[in-house]
Amino acid sequence: MTLETLSDIRVEAKRGVLFETPIVQASFKNADSLLNELDAAVRQRLADDSEGVQRSNIGGWHSDTFMTQWGGDAARALTDKAITIARRLSSFGEKSHDDFNWTTQMWANVSGPGASNHMHVHPGNLWSAVFYLDMGGAEEDPEVGGAFYFEDPRFPVAVMHNTAFRFVGQDGQPQSWQPEIRPKRGDLLMFPAWLRHGVRPYTGDKERVSIALNVDATLK
């Protein structure tokens, strides 16, 4: 038996992907009336309850989590759309989507200059989502910040002795451990509720307005 020379050895490798993490960015079309009604409801709630609550927000205003009650028909229309998307992204084995009660929580955020959201998750839910009503000028000038970002749930930096390590993606480029998304007015982001996420500091001189949702499904 002879050992082939290294130059004679050929390796065939097939790349695969496991444990996909779905991130959806949906753009609402022909929805100006919906967006305007939601914005009016948020502004009215801000006027009625200027204190709001403190959650992941650093600065800015965070409403209570009962917007499905005070947001009117527009809020209920948004929850219907979010549940429709969540159903398409979800599987329950032998159970059908109709075997579950689909429920939502909803709240609003108004973020002025300097506001941000630290990294966090939404435990006890299947999906989380953010719907954008006003980008505060970030669409025209990305330099004002306010980008939405996720943290790689594999935490490579925390467990690797070489902190410069990154996985090479299917595009052949190193994967960011905190990829950013810059949504626009009328965009809905939806992602697993366990995925850590946050919002970069906003440095513009206007206000950003968004609505956040949690979607869950429990057996009837």
Side-chain angles (χ1 to χ4, degrees), residues 104-141:
T104 59
Q105 286 181 312
M106 178 185 282
W107 61 97
N109 290 281
V110 179
S111 303
S116 64
N117 290 76
H118 60 69
M119 283 194 298
H120 61 287
V121 298
H122 297 208
N125 298 281
L126 294 180
W127 298 97
S128 293
V130 186
F131 187 60
Y132 288 89
L133 303 180
D134 192 328
M135 300 306 298
E139 291 182 65
E140 296 80 17
D141 181 11

Side-chain angles (χ1 to χ4, degrees), residues 13-68:
K14 183 178 181 181
R15 183 183 181 117
V17 177
L18 291 174
F19 313 120
E20 292 184 27
T21 303
I23 307 295
V24 172
Q25 184 170 358
S27 296
F28 281 44
K29 306 297 184 182
N30 303 317
D32 283 344
S33 178
L34 174 68
L35 271 68
N36 291 337
E37 286 186 37
L38 288 169
D39 186 78
V42 172
R43 298 291 183 181
Q44 184 60 56
R45 192 64 175 181
L46 174 57
D48 294 340
D49 179 21
S50 59
E51 272 192 38
V53 299
Q54 184 69 41
R55 294 291 188 269
S56 68
N57 54 306
I58 302 172
W61 176 80
H62 185 305
S63 79
D64 59 57
T65 57
F66 306 112
M67 188 174 174
T68 51

